[in-house]
């Protein structure tokens, strides 16, 4: 369920920009900073659990590649140590929701409605990504009716 719930959270962060709520490039700096942080999370999670990085290597990598304060980085790294794959689940969920949206946009064309797509994504609550995919396929099929 982490991939769904956290993936939804990451997906929705981009909606503010899509809705035109950012009025200047300066407004997007926070988005870019968070993107860098999340990219580092993926590197650190796999670095520690697949490549044998030490805690210090992970902390040093994040210090060099994010704008986070050291105390936040230490907390993050300790979380990744205790919960392997969590950072990956967030991103996989976001990417899958985005992929499903792109598929719905493509198949529905002018009939695509973002609000109804979001209703379909959230309609069954927190589900596995496989279940979500089936649900969105059913939504598309119904919409093409």
């Amino acid at each position: 369920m982490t991939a769904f719930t956290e993936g939804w959270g990451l997906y929705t962060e981009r909606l503010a920009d899509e809705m035109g709520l950012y009025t200047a490039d300066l407004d997007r700096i926070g988005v870019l900073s968070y993107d860098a942080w999340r990219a580092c999370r993926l590197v650190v999670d796999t670095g520690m659990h697949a490549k044998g990085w030490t805690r210090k290597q992970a902390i040093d990598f994040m210090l060099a590649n994010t704008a986070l304060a050291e105390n936040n980085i230490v907390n993050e790294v300790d979380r990744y140590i205790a919960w392997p794959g969590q950072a990956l689940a967030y991103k996989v969920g976001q990417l899958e929701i985005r992929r499903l949206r792109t598929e719905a946009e493509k198949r529905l064309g002018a009939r695509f409605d973002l609000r109804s797509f979001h209703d379909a994504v959230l309609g069954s609550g927190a589900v596995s990504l496989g279940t979500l995919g089936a649900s969105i396929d059913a939504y598309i099929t119904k919409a093409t009716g």
Side-chain angles (χ1 to χ4, degrees), residues 18 23 25 28 32 40 43 58 66 69 91 100 115 129 137:
E18 288 181 36
T23 57
D25 289 340
R28 293 180 182 87
L32 297 174
C40 284
V43 172
T66 70
K91 196 64 176 175
L100 292 169
R115 289 180 186 185
L129 295 182
D137 191 52

Side-chain angles (χ1 to χ4, degrees), residues 50-70:
K51 301 290 185 182
W53 284 16
T54 65
R55 180 176 182 265
K56 180 168 179 12
Q57 285 174 298
I59 290 168
D60 289 345
F61 182 85
M62 289 190 80
L63 282 170
N65 293 286
T66 70
L68 292 173
E70 185 171 2

Side-chain angles (χ1 to χ4, degrees), residues 63-90:
L63 282 170
N65 293 286
T66 70
L68 292 173
E70 185 171 2
N71 63 317
N72 295 112
I73 289 171
V74 168
N75 290 337
E76 290 289 315
V77 168
D78 288 346
R79 187 171 87 194
Y80 310 146
I81 289 169
W83 195 351
Q86 183 205 22
L88 182 60
Y90 280 54

